[in-house]
Amino acid sequence: METTDAFIGLTCVDCGETFDAEAATHRCPDCDGILDPDYDYDRIDLAPETLDARPDGSMWRYEELLPFPAETAVSLGEGATPLVECPSLADAMGVGRVLLKDEGANPTGTFKDRGQAAAMTAAREHGASEVALNSAGNAGQAAAAYAARADLDAHVFLPSRAGFTQKAMTEVHGADLTVTDPVGGNSQIGDAGAAYAEAMEANPEWYSTKTFVTPYRHEGKKTMALELLAQLDWEVPDGVVYPTGGGVGLVGMHKAAQEAEKLGWTDGLVPMYAAQAAGCAPVVDAYEAGADEHEPLDDAEVDTACNGIAIPDPGASRLILEAVRESDGGAVATTDREILDAAIDVARTEGLEVGATCAAAVSGAFALAASGEFGPDDTVVLLNTGAGNKDVDSLRAHLGEREADADAAE
């Protein structure tokens, strides 16, 4: 297994034990906790100036802070996504600057590519021939693409409520797709998870690339923060608002901000804000209650059209809550109407295409600014985790409803 110089193994976030990455592939062998890639930071002799001089080829320009070197990576050129100035949003929000980190520019159109690039590299390094995961949609499509790149067979389990694009492209990339049967309506992420678990039990040789089962998905996504900081000349913004379901990217970004501070590249942590839909906001509920973990919602309690963040039982809520509190950030929930309105408003004022789910970051930022969390001199970064064309049906349908309401009001 070829790894980078500073990578020393996988440390369990629960029991604290560290394991060799060749032997421990997924959860902690001792307590079944989440494993996190660990590094000897004294081995990293790297200055921001050196990083800044490298070509913006992909996320692997930060290979010293990743487990695997660039030459071994399963890569489609993921990362190096633009950070776009949004002056109209800044004026409307009443803050100094609004910047949008556009992850829709990734190969399959979402930030999931970063995590699957790292996880699929690990799978290939471990000698896997077949990979599997359940997903709300985008991670399944990304896994199918990166498995094809790695010449691995992929088994993807999606709920029926996943988008047509994600289902179609998962099959186009050659993966074995299982869409779980609806029970009293559209099936949910939990139904896909149950089908995945049953299949994994029957096929123990399959290599999982599921969120927080593989240690590598949040590690790939942490590169969003490294890129963001580099694009801001290593100046820490006043807030990053992140559309949060499972929270993998938020946890990864917080880790990267801690690493940048530890290495002396920045003067502080990046304040992270979790943005959820009011119809499925277990993290926000836990944050407001002062709890360390969320209370799981039943699938029947989920009431949001935002599929990507309709996660009623996020398995790593403790890590999400730690990240927002340690970074002096927060959590906010807005309604579906506010979220979908925000996606349309961004398209019409800034020309940027924001996914329907991802627009929770935009509406969340407006709510935070209205509450006084952000001020007139602040720099606010919005994470657009996926392209608008992933949710074109939802956006067009909401536009029609909005126009009909406007006509009725005249």
Side-chain angles (χ1 to χ4, degrees), residues 116-143:
Q116 289 300 334
M120 216 61 70
T121 301
R124 192 169 68 177
E125 289 293 306
H126 281 125
S129 59
E130 297 182 75
V131 298
L133 79 163
N134 68 296
S135 161
N138 288 323
Q141 179 183 342

Side-chain angles (χ1 to χ4, degrees), residues 125 232 255 362 393:
E125 289 293 306
L232 291 174
K255 179 181 180 181
V362 184
D393 291 341

Side-chain angles (χ1 to χ4, degrees), residues 311-323:
I311 310 295
D313 188 16
S317 67
R318 179 169 62 83
L319 300 181
I320 302 169
L321 291 162
E322 284 178 1

Side-chain angles (χ1 to χ4, degrees), residues 5-364:
D5 291 341
F7 179 53
I8 59 175
L10 302 168
T11 298
C12 179
V13 301
D14 292 327
C15 70
E17 289 295 319
T18 299
F19 302 91
D20 183 271
E22 288 198 39
T25 62
H26 290 89
R27 302 284 290 211
C28 176
D30 288 352
C31 73
D32 199 41
I34 294 170
L35 293 180
D36 183 42
D38 207 351
Y39 304 86
D40 179 354
Y41 295 100
D42 290 336
R43 296 183 191 174
I44 299 175
D45 183 16
L46 189 64
E49 295 77 16
T50 303
L51 286 172
D52 294 343
R54 292 176 179 173
D56 282 336
S58 76
M59 74 179 202
W60 297 97
R61 75 196 296 252
Y62 301 104
E63 63 181 340
E64 288 88 349
L65 280 170
L66 292 169
F68 310 109
E71 61 265 22
T72 69
V74 176
S75 178
L76 294 170
E78 58 289 332
T81 58
L83 184 66
V84 184
E85 196 89 36
C86 298
S88 295
L89 289 182
D91 288 345
M93 204 177 291
V95 300
R97 295 177 78 190
V98 170
L99 300 155
L100 186 138
K101 180 71 169 160
D102 193 1
E103 290 294 293
N106 278 301
T108 75
T110 75
F111 73 127
K112 302 289 187 180
D113 292 346
R114 296 179 188 261
Q116 289 300 334
M120 216 61 70
T121 301
R124 192 169 68 177
E125 289 293 306
H126 281 125
S129 59
E130 297 182 75
V131 298
L133 79 163
N134 68 296
S135 161
N138 288 323
Q141 179 183 342
Y146 282 82
R149 185 71 164 184
D151 196 24
L152 302 175
D153 292 330
H155 305 274
V156 177
F157 298 81
L158 300 181
S160 59
R161 68 176 290 163
F164 174 78
T165 298
Q166 290 89 334
K167 294 172 187 171
M169 291 309 298
T170 295
E171 292 189 304
V172 168
H173 284 299
D176 170 34
L177 172 64
T178 298
V179 178
T180 53
D181 293 332
V183 179
N186 282 342
S187 63
Q188 306 288 335
I189 182 67
D191 300 308
Y196 153 86
E198 183 178 345
M200 288 295 291
E201 187 173 349
N203 300 275
E205 74 280 8
W206 290 359
Y207 187 101
S208 179
T209 64
K210 175 181 167 67
T211 295
F212 289 125
V213 172
T214 172
Y216 299 102
R217 278 181 57 180
H218 65 283
E219 201 66 5
K221 291 176 185 177
K222 81 179 185 184
T223 56
M224 291 187 291
L226 297 173
E227 284 181 14
L228 169 63
L229 289 167
Q231 289 166 320
L232 291 174
D233 296 324
W234 303 97
E235 292 290 328
V236 174
D238 297 289
V240 170
V241 188
Y242 185 93
T244 304
V248 187
L250 188 152
V251 170
M253 290 184 73
H254 179 59
K255 179 181 180 181
Q258 290 175 310
E259 291 174 330
E261 184 184 42
K262 184 178 298 185
L263 290 166
W265 299 349
T266 61
D267 292 331
L269 296 177
V270 177
M272 297 296 304
Y273 291 84
Q276 297 197 293
C280 185
V283 172
V284 176
D285 291 343
Y287 176 79
E288 292 179 345
D292 293 332
E293 292 187 86
H294 74 290
E295 289 288 338
L297 301 175
D298 293 327
D299 284 347
E301 296 179 271
V302 175
D303 184 20
T304 177
C306 299
N307 291 342
I309 54 174
I311 310 295
D313 188 16
S317 67
R318 179 169 62 83
L319 300 181
I320 302 169
L321 291 162
E322 284 178 1
V324 299
R325 287 171 176 145
E326 286 176 1
S327 67
D328 198 24
V332 62
T334 49
T335 67
D336 276 18
R337 184 178 185 87
E338 291 168 323
I339 292 168
L340 294 169
D341 278 346
I344 293 169
D345 291 342
V346 170
R348 292 190 166 188
T349 61
E350 300 289 2
L352 294 167
E353 297 183 358
V354 176
T357 289
C358 317
V362 184
S363 58

